[in-house]
Amino acid sequence: MSNQVDFRFQFSTDSPYILLVKYLSPKNKALSFPRQNMIIWAIAAFWYPIACKWLGGFSESDLKSKARTAIYQLQQQIIYLAHTFNLEQELGQIGIVAPTTLNNNHIDGINPSLTVPLATTSELHHSQNDDRLLDNAFN
Protein backbone atom coordinates (compact mmCIF):
# COMPACT_ATOMS: atom_id res chain seq x y z
CA MET A 1 0.00 0.00 0.00
CA SER A 2 1.32 3.43 -0.98
CA ASN A 3 1.68 6.38 1.38
CA GLN A 4 1.08 8.77 -1.52
CA VAL A 5 -2.07 10.53 -2.60
CA ASP A 6 -2.81 10.95 -6.29
CA PHE A 7 -4.03 14.29 -7.52
CA ARG A 8 -5.07 14.48 -11.15
CA PHE A 9 -6.37 17.31 -13.23
CA GLN A 10 -7.90 17.13 -16.66
CA PHE A 11 -8.72 19.93 -19.05
CA SER A 12 -10.56 19.89 -22.33
CA THR A 13 -8.40 20.63 -25.34
CA ASP A 14 -10.16 23.98 -25.81
CA SER A 15 -9.42 25.14 -22.26
CA PRO A 16 -7.42 28.37 -21.99
CA TYR A 17 -5.23 26.50 -19.47
CA ILE A 18 -4.13 23.71 -21.80
CA LEU A 19 -0.87 25.60 -22.42
CA LEU A 20 -0.21 25.54 -18.67
CA VAL A 21 -0.84 21.78 -18.52
CA LYS A 22 1.56 21.27 -21.42
CA TYR A 23 4.19 23.48 -19.73
CA LEU A 24 3.90 21.51 -16.48
CA SER A 25 3.96 18.18 -18.29
CA PRO A 26 6.62 15.67 -17.24
CA LYS A 27 7.75 15.79 -20.88
CA ASN A 28 8.96 19.38 -20.40
CA LYS A 29 12.55 19.00 -19.23
CA ALA A 30 13.25 22.76 -19.20
CA LEU A 31 11.29 23.69 -16.07
CA SER A 32 12.87 26.18 -13.67
CA PHE A 33 11.85 24.18 -10.60
CA PRO A 34 10.76 20.60 -9.95
CA ARG A 35 7.29 20.15 -11.46
CA GLN A 36 5.65 18.96 -8.24
CA ASN A 37 7.03 21.96 -6.36
CA MET A 38 5.70 24.38 -8.96
CA ILE A 39 2.21 22.93 -8.68
CA ILE A 40 2.02 22.67 -4.90
CA TRP A 41 3.59 26.12 -4.39
CA ALA A 42 0.96 27.72 -6.59
CA ILE A 43 -1.90 25.93 -4.86
CA ALA A 44 -0.64 26.08 -1.27
CA ALA A 45 0.27 29.76 -1.29
CA PHE A 46 -3.39 30.66 -1.51
CA TRP A 47 -5.52 27.67 -0.56
CA TYR A 48 -3.61 26.00 2.31
CA PRO A 49 -4.74 28.34 5.14
CA ILE A 50 -8.29 28.25 3.79
CA ALA A 51 -8.19 24.43 3.73
CA CYS A 52 -6.92 24.42 7.34
CA LYS A 53 -9.79 26.68 8.39
CA TRP A 54 -12.28 24.44 6.59
CA LEU A 55 -10.83 21.29 8.16
CA GLY A 56 -10.96 22.75 11.65
CA GLY A 57 -8.85 21.78 14.63
CA PHE A 58 -6.50 24.76 14.33
CA SER A 59 -6.42 27.62 16.80
CA GLU A 60 -7.15 31.15 15.59
CA SER A 61 -3.49 31.95 16.20
CA ASP A 62 -2.35 28.98 14.06
CA LEU A 63 -4.72 29.97 11.25
CA LYS A 64 -3.46 33.55 11.29
CA SER A 65 0.12 32.30 11.21
CA LYS A 66 -0.69 30.08 8.22
CA ALA A 67 -2.39 33.01 6.48
CA ARG A 68 0.65 35.24 7.10
CA THR A 69 2.91 32.56 5.67
CA ALA A 70 0.65 32.25 2.61
CA ILE A 71 0.67 36.02 2.09
CA TYR A 72 4.45 36.00 2.27
CA GLN A 73 4.62 33.13 -0.24
CA LEU A 74 2.26 34.95 -2.60
CA GLN A 75 4.41 38.06 -2.35
CA GLN A 76 7.47 36.01 -3.27
CA GLN A 77 5.60 34.65 -6.29
CA ILE A 78 4.68 38.20 -7.33
CA ILE A 79 8.30 39.29 -6.99
CA TYR A 80 9.49 36.26 -8.99
CA LEU A 81 7.01 37.05 -11.79
CA ALA A 82 8.01 40.70 -11.82
CA HIS A 83 11.69 39.78 -11.99
CA THR A 84 11.11 37.18 -14.72
CA PHE A 85 9.32 39.71 -16.93
CA ASN A 86 11.31 42.85 -15.97
CA LEU A 87 8.34 44.45 -14.22
CA GLU A 88 10.13 45.43 -11.01
CA GLN A 89 9.48 49.15 -11.53
CA GLU A 90 5.75 48.50 -11.83
CA LEU A 91 5.78 46.69 -8.50
CA GLY A 92 7.56 49.61 -6.89
CA GLN A 93 4.78 51.89 -8.06
CA ILE A 94 2.23 49.88 -6.08
CA GLY A 95 4.46 49.49 -3.04
CA ILE A 96 5.54 45.85 -3.33
CA VAL A 97 9.16 45.41 -2.32
CA ALA A 98 11.76 42.66 -2.51
CA PRO A 99 14.62 41.59 -0.24
CA THR A 100 18.15 42.71 -1.03
CA THR A 101 19.68 39.43 0.11
CA LEU A 102 18.76 35.86 -0.58
CA ASN A 103 20.10 33.14 1.67
CA ASN A 104 19.18 29.73 3.01
CA ASN A 105 18.22 30.32 6.68
CA HIS A 106 14.89 28.57 7.16
CA ILE A 107 12.60 28.31 10.18
CA ASP A 108 9.21 26.55 10.04
CA GLY A 109 9.03 26.75 6.26
CA ILE A 110 9.86 30.46 6.07
CA ASN A 111 13.18 32.08 5.42
CA PRO A 112 13.30 34.67 8.24
CA SER A 113 15.66 36.97 6.37
CA LEU A 114 12.97 37.39 3.73
CA THR A 115 9.96 37.91 5.98
CA VAL A 116 10.40 41.68 6.12
CA PRO A 117 10.90 43.38 2.75
CA LEU A 118 14.16 45.29 2.69
CA ALA A 119 14.31 47.04 -0.68
CA THR A 120 12.35 47.82 -3.81
CA THR A 121 12.21 45.22 -6.53
CA SER A 122 14.36 47.41 -8.75
CA GLU A 123 17.22 46.65 -6.36
CA LEU A 124 16.86 42.89 -6.84
CA HIS A 125 20.16 41.21 -7.64
CA HIS A 126 20.00 39.70 -11.10
CA SER A 127 21.74 36.37 -10.60
CA GLN A 128 20.92 32.71 -10.21
CA ASN A 129 20.06 33.50 -6.57
CA ASP A 130 16.88 35.18 -7.82
CA ASP A 131 15.50 31.79 -8.79
CA ARG A 132 15.69 30.88 -5.10
CA LEU A 133 13.01 33.46 -4.17
CA LEU A 134 10.25 30.90 -4.55
CA ASP A 135 12.40 28.05 -3.32
CA ASN A 136 13.20 29.98 -0.13
CA ALA A 137 9.60 31.01 0.41
CA PHE A 138 8.44 27.41 0.53
CA ASN A 139 11.31 25.63 2.22
Side-chain angles (χ1 to χ4, degrees):
M1 186 163 11
S2 175
N3 288 333
Q4 295 184 352
V5 175
D6 267 347
F7 178 79
R8 296 177 188 262
F9 230 83
Q10 293 181 337
F11 291 92
S12 66
T13 55
D14 61 345
S15 168
Y17 300 110
I18 197 69
L19 175 66
L20 177 59
V21 173
K22 288 179 181 180
Y23 175 72
L24 293 171
S25 164
K27 294 177 184 176
N28 182 357
K29 303 297 183 200
L31 295 176
S32 302
F33 298 97
R35 185 174 82 86
Q36 286 179 305
N37 288 14
M38 293 170 70
I39 294 167
I40 200 66
W41 288 346
I43 295 169
F46 186 84
W47 293 108
Y48 182 68
I50 295 168
C52 291
K53 183 176 182 178
W54 170 80
L55 180 64
F58 294 92
S59 70
E60 190 68 24
S61 174
D62 286 343
L63 290 173
K64 285 184 178 188
S65 177
K66 290 177 186 316
R68 282 186 196 97
T69 299
I71 290 167
Y72 166 75
Q73 292 167 342
L74 288 166
Q75 288 172 330
Q76 295 309 297
Q77 290 178 8
I78 291 167
I79 292 166
Y80 182 79
L81 274 173
H83 176 70
T84 299
F85 294 99
N86 283 332
L87 298 171
E88 290 95 347
Q89 279 195 305
E90 291 181 33
L91 286 184
Q93 293 171 1
I94 58 173
I96 296 177
V97 294
T100 57
T101 60
L102 303 172
N103 62 41
N104 289 322
N105 300 323
H106 305 285
I107 298 175
D108 293 332
I110 297 180
N111 181 337
S113 68
L114 299 179
T115 58
V116 178
L118 301 173
T120 65
T121 53
S122 61
E123 295 172 331
L124 247 173
H125 300 299
H126 298 282
S127 71
Q128 66 186 20
N129 286 341
D130 293 334
D131 287 341
R132 293 190 349 220
L133 277 171
L134 290 180
D135 210 12
N136 287 344
F138 287 86
N139 293 315

